[in-house]
Amino acid sequence: MSTTTESVDLVGDEAAANFARAALFAALVGAFGFVSFPIPVTSVPVTLQVLGVFLAGIMLGPVWGGASLVLYLAAGAVGAPVFSGGSAGVGVLLGATGGYLWSYPIAAALVGGVIHRGAELRDLGDVGIPTFVGAMTLGTLVIYALGIVGLMVVLDYGVAKAFLQGAAPFIPAEAIKMAAAIGIVRSDSVTAA
């Protein structure tokens, strides 16, 4: 009696590679959470995590960019110290900064969708600076909107106070993160060419 076996791929190579990239960007956003600067006028620190959100959307596109940030949130929820300053747990997701965190998958997907004009990845060398800036500005607006709502719900802030403490102080930092993301992507495009 002879038995033959054939190779069976349970997960395709492309899906495995995309998941690995998503996990890498989730880890990057988590590492960026350790780069945290308090601002005296607000309880929300400045971190580099939004830079990671931008890069995930730009490099992975809307589907896998968003998935990478869902993976990031799941890792933090189960106890991996990936949130700002190495914090973790469901309590952080339900706390004052939770609105910002919940916005990350949406913002990454939005940035990726605008940059790539849909779900399929396109050559980033063909993307103009205005498109990058516009995509990241939309992503930032989503992050601020949900962050402000989180501050209003958790800390019982009014709209003006939530904006002044949860968005206004961070606008200069977001512009620097946008410039850094463009610089990273452009340097990668130059070295890849």
Side-chain angles (χ1 to χ4, degrees):
M1 174 159 84
S2 168
T3 310
T4 61
T5 60
E6 295 183 30
S7 175
V8 176
D9 285 334
L10 297 178
V11 178
D13 290 341
E14 184 179 351
N18 285 332
F19 184 80
R21 285 192 277 282
L24 176 67
F25 274 92
L28 178 68
V29 173
F32 281 172
F34 284 93
V35 182
S36 177
F37 305 99
I39 297 179
V41 297
T42 179
S43 61
V44 181
V46 171
T47 70
L48 291 181
Q49 290 174 302
V50 172
L51 174 60
V53 172
F54 292 158
L55 291 172
I58 292 168
M59 303 297 271
L60 302 178
V63 175
W64 287 102
S68 71
L69 276 298
V70 169
L71 183 59
Y72 161 77
L73 293 179
V78 298
V82 296
F83 299 143
S84 176
S87 59
V90 175
V92 177
L93 291 172
L94 300 176
T97 61
Y100 298 97
L101 295 170
W102 288 109
S103 73
Y104 288 175
I106 300 164
L110 179 62
V111 169
V114 171
I115 295 290
H116 296 284
R117 296 183 187 156
E120 294 296 318
L121 298 182
R122 70 179 182 145
D123 183 357
L124 293 174
D126 296 338
V127 179
I129 299 294
T131 302
F132 281 115
V133 172
M136 290 185 283
T137 299
L138 288 173
T140 300
L141 290 174
V142 167
I143 292 168
Y144 283 176
L146 290 178
I148 287 169
V149 168
L151 292 173
M152 291 170 62
V153 170
V154 174
L155 299 179
D156 199 30
Y157 285 176
V159 175
K161 184 174 183 179
F163 175 78
L164 290 173
Q165 293 215 352
F170 304 101
I171 293 170
E174 301 311 333
I176 293 168
K177 292 173 200 173
M178 288 180 195
I182 293 169
I184 291 166
V185 171
R186 287 295 189 215
S187 69
D188 185 49
S189 296
V190 170
T191 55

